[in-house]
Amino acid sequence: MYFCNVKTDRNSFTEENYLKAIHKLSRINPKGVSTNAIAGAMETKASSVTDMVKKLALKMLINYKKYQGVTLTEKGRKAAVSVVRKHRLWEVFLVDNLGFKWDSVHEIAEQLEHVQSEELVIRLDRYLGIPQYDPHGDPIPDSDGNITHHKDTCLSDLKVNQVAVVVGVKDSSSSFLQHLEKMKLVLGASVKVDEIVDFDKSMSICISDGLPVSISEAVAKNLYIKR
Amino acid sequence: MYFCNVKTDRNSFTEENYLKAIHKLSRINPKGVSTNAIAGAMETKASSVTDMVKKLALKMLINYKKYQGVTLTEKGRKAAVSVVRKHRLWEVFLVDNLGFKWDSVHEIAEQLEHVQSEELVIRLDRYLGIPQYDPHGDPIPDSDGNITHHKDTCLSDLKVNQVAVVVGVKDSSSSFLQHLEKMKLVLGASVKVDEIVDFDKSMSICISDGLPVSISEAVAKNLYIKR
DNA sequence: ACTATTTTTTAGACTTATCTAAATTACGGG
DNA sequence: CCCGTAATTTAGATAAGTCTAAAAAATAGT
Ligand SMILES: [Mn+2]
Ligand SMILES: [Mn+2]
Ligand SMILES: [Mn+2]
Ligand SMILES: [Mn+2]
């Protein structure tokens, strides 16, 4: 890392992916995201991250001081949220309009999110009916960059006999989503806690008034619900 | 250019753009596309082209022998046509569904054409009603890579009093399309040749039975028509 | 057939993004 | 406070794609 082209206003695919990762990690670690955390999220090495954060800092997208971790600047936050907005809008399009299943849209959206055109985002948003949530229940940022997080309680927080509605998933991996689908544990489904096994914290639940089925603690912890 | 990763089956954005350019130029120059012609189309330097064609040849996408010009292999043709198909399908989507004007979709399609997903192309094609032509009248290759070129005669080929319908444009530049739009000279419009000025080959034509308007030879040569 | 010009290729350098290995810095436990 | 370990940064290398300048090959004109 010798020199840097600060004059460019546009960010590369890679830069956008770093910003998105930092933005996501900031929610867990608001005081500063560590180099290692970013490397983990980006599936790259810490040394590569160090190079990149230097560049992002030069472009005034993040605050970075050696060994201190990084935080997004307002400019960086805007850029990150814009990518998230595009990602989630495209996921809605793929599921609602093209008929994709919710477990196979993430990878494609990962590419579509980098298409550059203000006009396109505005028109797509309107075309889709200004949706508030993506197919996994994640909130879609508005055009000003505001996000309203509604996911607070997990299915694992419920007690026996409590009732709720599934509103989101924490893990969006294909394997997890397919597993949920098999049990008809999809967004909008109602759940009632039938029993909690003390030994392994697994739950027996009734999905949409069906017969009780058992789910592991891992599943319960990755499902967001609304009471 | 020292070494090359032949193992990758996927082509990079840049490689795809080169293939697309070579494919387009092959129609004018079927015996072999010159380095300079590619450099012109790609807005790059001849030396960069030489490097790239070596790589594409290693990947068996083109036939290349020094100083001989290049031709696409069947594998290369398939790859090029696949990109063209995606480009044109996305243009249809942008105009028909999102309400873009035909003069502002090319740049966005230039990005969307590189999104990798077989499934996406199939579903998009179906969603759009398996369209045969893009917003500029260019034929959309089918899923097997077949293209039926229908553009053969230009408006400039017509004689006085002959009648035809506009079916395509040769130049898809924003400025040309906007110029056409102002005269209501859009796809599907009928034209009748009122007069041909011998001096500069400019034409006076009636568009959709309207009053005669004058167009330059340059415009007439860039409009495809069907009699 | 022999130049003169154009076209194409090569050589060497630069940028972005990545890696491995080595050097620094930070931090927690005694 | 010191020391060992973990986290982070640096140094140096690689790969893709680009460029300029120079060399080599092809082509054209006489
Ligand atoms: Mn996603
Ligand atoms: Mn991405
Ligand atoms: Mn186009
Ligand atoms: Mn392109």
Side-chain angles (χ1 to χ4, degrees):
Chain A
M1 228 281 277
Y2 297 122
F3 206 57
C4 233
N5 226 353
V6 188
K7 47 182 184 279
T8 34
D9 198 32
R10 286 223 181 82
N11 306 313
S12 70
F13 278 35
T14 315
E15 287 166 344
E16 287 190 343
N17 285 337
Y18 271 93
L19 289 172
K20 208 172 58 145
I22 294 166
H23 180 259
K24 190 171 186 178
L25 294 166
S26 293
R27 267 182 63 76
I28 315 159
N29 246 333
K31 350 208 94 218
V33 181
S34 75
T35 303
N36 264 357
I38 300 170
M42 297 285 303
E43 297 186 66
T44 184
K45 299 297 151 102
S47 55
S48 308
V49 174
T50 302
D51 275 353
M52 181 54 82
V53 296
K54 281 179 182 172
K55 199 196 331 179
L56 294 176
L58 267 179
K59 290 178 86 172
M60 313 280 265
L61 293 162
I62 61 174
N63 306 111
Y64 168 66
K65 276 208 302 227
K66 275 189 190 177
Y67 299 100
Q68 301 292 123
V70 303
T71 55
L72 289 173
T73 62
E74 186 52 25
K75 187 181 167 197
R77 209 200 108 263
K78 281 261 170 65
V81 170
S82 159
V83 178
V84 170
R85 175 168 157 81
K86 288 188 277 181
H87 182 104
R88 294 181 181 167
L89 283 174
W90 279 117
E91 285 192 342
V92 171
F93 171 71
L94 294 172
V95 169
D96 287 6
N97 297 75
L98 296 195
F100 274 95
K101 302 264 281 295
W102 70 338
D103 59 277
S104 54
V105 294
H106 182 77
E107 267 194 67
I108 302 175
E110 205 58 42
Q111 299 176 65
L112 288 165
E113 73 188 1
H114 301 290
V115 173
Q116 307 257 11
S117 166
E118 285 284 337
E119 187 71 16
L120 176 58
V121 184
I122 293 167
R123 297 189 105 105
L124 180 64
D125 188 34
R126 202 154 49 206
Y127 184 68
L128 299 173
I130 313 180
Q132 301 301 299
Y133 300 101
D134 82 1
H136 313 107
D138 292 309
I140 298 173
D142 68 22
S143 46
D144 294 325
N146 305 112
I147 317 178
T148 47
H149 296 280
H150 74 130
K151 293 163 156 192
D152 30 9
T153 45
C154 291
L155 180 47
S156 54
D157 299 328
L158 290 188
K159 313 268 176 252
V160 172
N161 277 327
Q162 287 188 315
V163 176
V165 174
V166 178
V167 296
V169 293
K170 187 184 248 168
D171 176 0
S172 279
S173 74
S174 197
S175 59
F176 180 54
L177 297 178
Q178 278 166 24
H179 178 57
L180 294 180
E181 190 118 290
K182 256 182 263 164
M183 299 187 292
K184 305 246 190 285
L185 208 41
V186 294
L187 295 205
S190 72
V191 288
K192 185 181 149 240
V193 181
D194 188 55
E195 189 191 344
I196 300 174
V197 179
D198 201 51
F199 166 65
D200 62 355
K201 304 277 184 264
S202 73
M203 281 177 156
S204 173
I205 60 171
C206 298
I207 302 163
S208 303
D209 301 317
L211 294 175
V213 291
S214 171
I215 60 169
S216 70
E217 192 194 10
V219 169
K221 280 200 162 169
N222 278 291
L223 275 175
Y224 291 109
I225 49 101
K226 189 161 216 153
R227 303 209 49 197
Chain B
M1 228 282 275
Y2 297 123
F3 205 57
C4 235
N5 227 354
V6 189
K7 46 183 185 279
T8 32
D9 198 33
R10 287 224 181 82
N11 306 311
S12 70
F13 279 35
T14 316
E15 288 167 342
E16 287 191 342
N17 285 337
Y18 271 93
L19 290 172
K20 208 173 58 146
I22 295 167
H23 180 260
K24 190 171 186 178
L25 294 166
S26 293
R27 267 181 65 76
I28 315 161
N29 247 334
K31 349 209 95 222
V33 181
S34 75
T35 302
N36 264 357
I38 299 171
M42 296 286 302
E43 300 186 68
T44 183
K45 299 297 150 105
S47 56
S48 306
V49 174
T50 302
D51 276 353
M52 181 54 82
V53 296
K54 282 180 182 172
K55 197 189 344 174
L56 294 176
L58 265 179
K59 288 177 86 173
M60 313 281 266
L61 293 162
I62 61 174
N63 306 113
Y64 167 66
K65 277 207 302 226
K66 275 190 189 176
Y67 298 101
Q68 301 291 122
V70 303
T71 55
L72 290 173
T73 62
E74 185 52 26
K75 188 181 165 196
R77 210 200 107 264
K78 281 262 170 66
V81 169
S82 159
V83 179
V84 170
R85 174 168 157 80
K86 286 187 278 180
H87 181 105
R88 293 181 181 165
L89 282 174
W90 279 117
E91 285 192 342
V92 171
F93 171 71
L94 294 173
V95 169
D96 287 6
N97 297 75
L98 295 195
F100 274 96
K101 303 264 280 296
W102 70 337
D103 58 277
S104 53
V105 294
H106 182 77
E107 267 195 69
I108 301 174
E110 204 60 42
Q111 299 176 65
L112 288 165
E113 73 188 0
H114 302 290
V115 173
Q116 309 256 11
S117 166
E118 285 285 338
E119 187 71 15
L120 176 58
V121 185
I122 294 167
R123 297 189 106 105
L124 181 64
D125 188 33
R126 201 154 51 206
Y127 184 68
L128 299 172
I130 312 182
Q132 301 301 299
Y133 300 102
D134 82 1
H136 313 106
D138 292 310
I140 298 174
D142 69 21
S143 46
D144 294 325
N146 306 113
I147 317 178
T148 48
H149 296 280
H150 74 132
K151 293 163 155 193
D152 30 10
T153 46
C154 290
L155 181 47
S156 54
D157 299 329
L158 290 188
K159 312 269 174 251
V160 171
N161 276 328
Q162 287 189 317
V163 176
V165 174
V166 178
V167 295
V169 293
K170 187 184 249 170
D171 175 1
S172 278
S173 74
S174 197
S175 60
F176 181 55
L177 298 179
Q178 278 167 23
H179 179 57
L180 294 181
E181 189 117 290
K182 255 181 260 163
M183 300 188 291
K184 304 245 191 286
L185 208 42
V186 293
L187 294 207
S190 72
V191 288
K192 186 181 148 238
V193 180
D194 188 56
E195 190 191 342
I196 301 175
V197 179
D198 201 49
F199 164 64
D200 63 354
K201 304 276 185 266
S202 74
M203 282 178 156
S204 173
I205 60 171
C206 298
I207 301 162
S208 304
D209 302 318
L211 294 173
V213 291
S214 171
I215 60 167
S216 69
E217 192 195 11
V219 168
K221 280 200 162 171
N222 278 292
L223 275 175
Y224 291 110
I225 50 98
K226 190 160 219 156
R227 301 208 50 195

